[in-house]
Amino acid sequence: MYYRLQKFCHLVEGANRGAIYDLQTGKVFSINKGAVRLLHKCQDQALNNLLDTSSPECKPFITFLDQLSLMGLGSLYINAPADTPQIPEPDEPPKLDFLWLELTSRCNNKCLHCYATSSPCTDGDSVTHDQWLSLITAARSEGATAIQLIGGEPLMYSRWRELVVKASSEGYELIEIFTNATLVNDSCIEFFKKYNVNIATTIYADNATIHDQVTQHQGSFDKTLTAIKKILAAGLPLRVASIIMKINEHEVTKIMELYEQLGIDPIPPDVVRPTGRGDDADLLPVSYARPSIKPPFFTDAHSFQRARKYHTCLAGRLAVTSSGDVIPCIFARNQVCGNISATPLVDIINGPQLQQCWHTTKDDIEKCKHCEYRYACNDCRPHAQGSDPHKKWLACSKGCAYNPHTGKWDDTCQVQDPKSTHQCPYGKKK
């Protein structure tokens, strides 16, 4: 008799335990080191050569295999089955799919946590209008289907409408403007409708007192809320994000209630990212945190394949700053992969710096590479780097609650839940 895991199951080893990934149901099952060793031995030897079914000492192993069979994860065979086919790697390398264009570093707000350190007086813009137009074409030629215009405040870029028209003519499937909405007027809304523009914005409270303290722009809450209502009334696609820090952490419930009143998708607020002005310990909330990473874990065949070869969030994305720097994410400010004024976009995309970022997997990351859950757990490299005291790109996520070397969880840690609805507010859903 022989025993094998089903062809849709994959065994992943950690330092102390292992996990069976059922890519048919998406469930991930934890097993101890002894079970890992047994399953490996079953690949090479007949079961009767491994276990004496009449021995009491072997009963736990037989029970374990029976349980796997009952769960549909494994099966007995009279004859040695053919080797289980390996799960194929992704057929093609990641292609550019989504890009941010940071049109300007200027903003009429001066938010406490701004990742780009934008303000009304910032003057670091060097990309010409013709370069932005050419970049939209080049990115589309490389496969990009979605584009987000951001800043700073993108509506402070005087020719932003021409960029939208260009993106529309190039056939982008998603054109989104991430704006603080204080400058949105009726003319903007008519333009958004004409070119099927999606809008994203932010709210930091349900009242002007707290919101305006975050933006450091008196009157910004009333302007933003007025624009939101106009956008909704026009039937335009709208995302509203909220970033939580110490000053507004007690506003979460009220923010969610405001979402409900407005009829907005109630996505839980995110926590301030340690980038730019957000890299300030005094901004961190005290009581509000992302949920802890805890089982159950889930994945699927496509996500599992990608997670073993590419970074699940970074791959296929890039941002171009108003100075022309190309970075893998708007939060990854120090991961500069080139500059469009010096190097064609296609060469930057295929260059070693960006490709290395795109191919960063949990097998490269401290501690994560020893964890059996590494292909079913989400990851934000800029957040991990910004939270690390040494600012290491391959640092483990802050406060990870699992120790793969002991196989034990620490309930005191608070980090991102891999199945949480918390999402990066600045990127499209993938």
Side-chain angles (χ1 to χ4, degrees):
M1 297 289 287
Y2 295 84
Y3 197 88
R4 296 287 193 277
L5 289 176
Q6 300 286 11
K7 62 181 180 180
F8 49 79
C9 292
H10 193 85
L11 178 62
V12 177
E13 287 191 70
N16 185 270
R17 297 179 64 84
I20 298 173
Y21 287 59
D22 179 352
L23 301 182
Q24 183 168 268
T25 66
K27 296 179 179 179
V28 180
F29 301 91
S30 176
I31 58 176
N32 62 34
K33 200 68 172 180
V36 172
R37 287 194 293 265
L38 175 61
L39 290 174
H40 276 308
K41 289 180 179 179
C42 285
Q43 291 296 314
D44 304 317
Q45 302 179 49
L47 197 57
N48 55 313
N49 292 336
L50 291 174
L51 302 173
D52 180 359
T53 57
S54 64
S55 171
E57 294 180 356
C58 293
K59 186 175 180 180
F61 299 104
I62 299 298
T63 300
F64 166 69
L65 295 178
D66 287 342
Q67 288 176 335
L68 290 185
S69 298
L70 288 172
M71 296 168 67
L73 303 177
S75 182
L76 283 168
Y77 298 86
I78 296 175
N79 299 313
D83 291 339
T84 303
Q86 293 294 311
I87 296 172
E89 298 289 344
D91 295 333
E92 298 180 355
K95 294 182 179 180
L96 179 62
D97 176 52
F98 178 87
L99 76 155
W100 295 270
L101 299 186
E102 295 187 353
L103 303 184
T104 178
S105 58
R106 293 188 302 120
C107 185
N108 55 340
N109 288 349
K110 191 179 179 181
C111 294
L112 298 174
H113 62 295
C114 180
Y115 65 87
T117 63
S118 299
S119 73
C121 301
T122 302
D123 186 23
D125 302 348
S126 60
V127 179
T128 67
H129 189 67
D130 285 343
Q131 284 178 311
W132 284 131
L133 291 170
S134 297
L135 187 63
I136 290 171
T137 299
R140 185 72 185 96
S141 297
E142 291 303 309
T145 60
I147 185 171
Q148 185 186 97
L149 306 183
I150 194 170
E153 170 48 51
L155 300 191
M156 291 186 72
Y157 181 77
S158 61
R159 301 174 72 178
W160 64 267
R161 295 180 190 230
E162 295 175 30
L163 301 182
V164 170
V165 173
K166 179 66 172 177
S168 178
S169 69
E170 292 288 350
Y172 280 84
E173 297 172 11
L174 172 70
I175 303 171
E176 184 175 71
I177 295 180
F178 205 116
T179 170
N180 61 39
T182 60
L183 301 177
V184 172
N185 55 30
D186 293 341
S187 174
C188 292
I189 290 175
E190 289 303 313
F191 181 84
F192 297 153
K193 289 174 65 175
K194 181 177 180 180
Y195 288 97
N196 299 314
V197 177
N198 290 38
I199 306 300
T201 190
T202 46
I203 286 181
Y204 304 107
D206 74 335
N207 61 86
T209 300
I210 299 299
H211 179 96
D212 292 359
Q213 286 184 55
V214 173
T215 65
Q216 299 186 78
H217 176 186
Q218 188 173 0
S220 62
F221 175 78
D222 291 337
K223 293 176 183 178
T224 297
L225 189 59
T226 297
I228 286 174
K229 291 177 179 179
K230 287 186 176 182
I231 291 167
L232 291 172
L236 290 164
L238 174 68
R239 292 191 302 121
V240 179
S242 296
I243 311 299
I244 300 302
M245 57 206 87
K246 186 181 295 184
I247 193 173
N248 68 338
E249 65 179 324
H250 301 299
E251 298 293 316
V252 174
T253 300
K254 294 179 181 179
I255 290 172
M256 299 303 291
E257 291 173 350
L258 178 59
Y259 283 2
E260 184 176 356
Q261 293 170 14
L262 293 170
I264 297 171
D265 189 17
I267 298 174
D270 196 12
V271 177
V272 59
R273 306 292 178 102
T275 303
R277 286 198 292 267
D279 190 11
D280 182 352
D282 291 336
L283 286 178
L284 294 177
V286 176
S287 60
Y288 184 83
R290 298 180 181 89
S292 297
I293 291 178
K294 288 290 183 183
F297 290 90
F298 299 90
T299 188
D300 57 73
H302 176 72
S303 300
F304 179 77
Q305 292 167 3
R306 286 183 59 85
R308 294 193 302 161
K309 194 168 183 179
Y310 313 127
H311 193 276
T312 53
C313 183
L314 297 177
R317 297 183 174 196
L318 62 81
V320 183
T321 71
S322 62
S323 64
D325 285 341
V326 175
I327 52 181
C329 168
I330 57 171
F331 292 110
R333 311 304 290 188
N334 63 354
Q335 296 294 314
V336 178
C337 300
N339 189 287
I340 62 166
S341 295
T343 309
L345 182 65
V346 61
D347 292 340
I348 296 175
I349 291 173
N350 295 314
Q353 294 98 330
L354 185 62
Q355 285 296 319
Q356 184 175 8
C357 289
W358 282 7
H359 285 80
T360 299
T361 72
K362 288 292 188 74
D363 291 323
D364 303 312
I365 297 169
E366 296 176 359
K367 191 171 81 168
C368 300
K369 60 187 176 183
H370 302 293
C371 179
E372 63 272 21
Y373 299 118
R374 61 189 178 273
Y375 303 131
C377 184
N378 289 340
D379 179 62
C380 177
R381 283 296 85 215
H383 187 273
Q385 181 183 36
S387 302
D388 181 66
H390 304 291
K391 305 301 182 185
K392 293 180 292 186
W393 178 247
L394 298 179
C396 178
S397 297
K398 179 185 177 183
C400 176
Y402 185 61
N403 184 339
H405 297 282
T406 64
K408 296 184 182 299
W409 295 88
D410 177 5
D411 291 334
T412 64
C413 295
Q414 294 289 319
V415 288
Q416 186 176 5
D417 181 344
K419 289 298 289 182
S420 168
T421 54
H422 286 76
Q423 298 167 353
C424 175
Y426 297 97
K428 73 166 186 174
K429 299 177 184 178
K430 295 191 80 174

